[in-house]
Amino acid sequence: MEQSSSLKLLGSWASSYTHRVQLALKLKGLEFEYIEEDLTMKSPSLLLHNPIYKKVPVLLHRDRPIVESVIILQYVDDTWPDHPIMPSDPYDRALARFWCHFADDKLGPAVGAVFGSSGEDQMAAVGQVHENLGLIESELREGAFKGKRFFGGDNIGFLDIVLGCGSYWLAVFEDVTEVKLVDPEAFPLFHAWLRDFEEQKEVKETIPAIDKLLEYARGIRQMILLSHTATSTASNATTDAATIATAKVDVVVDGSG
């Protein structure tokens, strides 16, 4: 087993992208040192090891940095092949990568738009979320993942990690924005998968407590709504609030790697 001195993870406690890497390392049984980053005041270490994007997560393996959560997951699986998270079949690996891209390119931004908007714009974003969830539901019902407990089969795999570390925010955003995103009747298979995912030991060890997530999300939402009311003559306090909100919402739904 790798010792914590050889694996270090720079991350943010609320970042679903950080949670992806934490979960993968736990599933692999790998020890690591976790270093919390304040993304409103980025550390010299983060800027040194990810000078291009300046985002978390960053995995340091023997002091060599690997960045971007999906790339880190594949690196971890290649480096420590025991307890694989990627499918063994090339076609299944391609499918997992495709739906991973879908989650980051389509579903994630739509969820972020729900959280960061209001009124008609928010309703349009909710429609996008439902459309995207409908596509996943269809794959679970009659597509490539039909009859599987997890997207990875009997055990949590690559796509489960990518989709699951982020989908727990759906319930948080429902509470904060008072809109319904995951209706168990409309998306029964996705809903069942998410509940099963959240009950796994390693997931419970990784995902922060719901009360902490709710408090954090409410604070961000308040700052976002405040920023929407700002005008060209906005006070410095309002402008600062908008800047902070943007930085923090990146951690939650978009752009943290």
Side-chain angles (χ1 to χ4, degrees):
M1 178 180 291
E2 289 278 348
Q3 299 301 309
S4 59
S5 59
S6 69
L7 278 174
K8 297 180 181 179
L9 176 62
L10 280 63
S12 174
W13 74 269
S15 166
S16 58
Y17 302 93
T18 296
H19 298 156
R20 291 175 178 180
V21 181
Q22 289 175 310
L23 179 55
L25 294 174
K26 289 178 184 293
L27 290 169
K28 290 280 187 179
L30 298 170
E31 295 180 0
F32 62 98
E33 177 186 352
Y34 176 72
I35 302 168
E36 177 71 14
E37 286 285 336
D38 178 357
L39 297 184
T40 63
M41 190 176 297
K42 298 175 182 179
S43 73
S45 180
L46 177 59
L47 298 177
L48 171 66
H49 293 301
N50 193 0
I52 296 176
Y53 291 109
K54 304 177 178 65
K55 295 175 181 179
V56 296
V58 177
L59 182 69
L60 298 177
H61 181 208
R62 297 171 182 162
D63 294 324
R64 297 182 300 179
I66 306 98
V67 302
E68 297 294 311
S69 64
V70 171
I71 294 173
I72 295 172
L73 294 184
Q74 294 180 73
Y75 175 85
V76 167
D77 209 41
D78 289 340
T79 306
W80 297 279
D82 289 345
H83 308 294
I85 57 175
M86 286 293 287
S88 59
D89 181 78
Y91 179 72
D92 290 339
R93 288 201 298 272
L95 279 178
R97 291 187 179 109
F98 170 82
W99 286 104
C100 167
H101 178 73
F102 173 85
D104 284 346
D105 185 56
K106 295 289 188 181
L107 181 59
V111 173
V114 172
F115 186 67
S117 62
S118 58
E120 292 183 1
D121 289 342
Q122 186 181 68
M123 289 301 98
V126 169
Q128 281 294 116
V129 171
H130 289 168
E131 180 180 335
N132 291 329
L133 289 178
L135 294 172
I136 297 173
E137 182 74 16
S138 178
E139 286 297 310
L140 288 168
R141 184 176 61 251
E142 56 192 21
F145 308 112
K146 179 181 179 181
K148 294 183 178 181
R149 178 183 179 185
F150 296 109
F151 291 100
D154 293 331
N155 301 305
I156 290 176
F158 176 77
L159 182 54
D160 297 282
I161 294 171
V162 171
L163 267 177
C165 292
S167 290
Y168 58 84
W169 279 109
L170 293 168
V172 175
F173 290 174
E174 284 181 341
D175 186 289
V176 173
T177 62
E178 299 181 340
V179 299
K180 193 65 177 174
L181 295 176
V182 185
D183 185 340
E185 294 186 3
F187 312 110
L189 297 177
F190 178 84
H191 181 268
W193 162 80
L194 182 56
R195 296 288 83 81
D196 195 4
F197 174 84
E198 292 174 337
E199 286 300 312
Q200 300 310 299
K201 174 179 174 289
E202 295 84 358
V203 175
K204 288 184 174 181
E205 294 173 349
T206 301
I207 306 306
I210 187 68
D211 290 347
K212 189 176 182 181
L213 294 174
L214 279 168
E215 180 182 5
Y216 183 75
R218 287 175 182 135
I220 300 174
R221 175 72 174 169
Q222 185 176 12
M223 285 190 287
I224 289 173
L225 294 179
L226 177 62
S227 72
H228 286 175
T229 64
T231 65
S232 58
T233 58
S235 67
N236 289 336
T238 301
T239 303
D240 289 345
T243 301
I244 294 171
T246 300
K248 289 189 174 183
V249 79
D250 280 351
V251 175
V252 176
V253 293
D254 185 32
S256 294

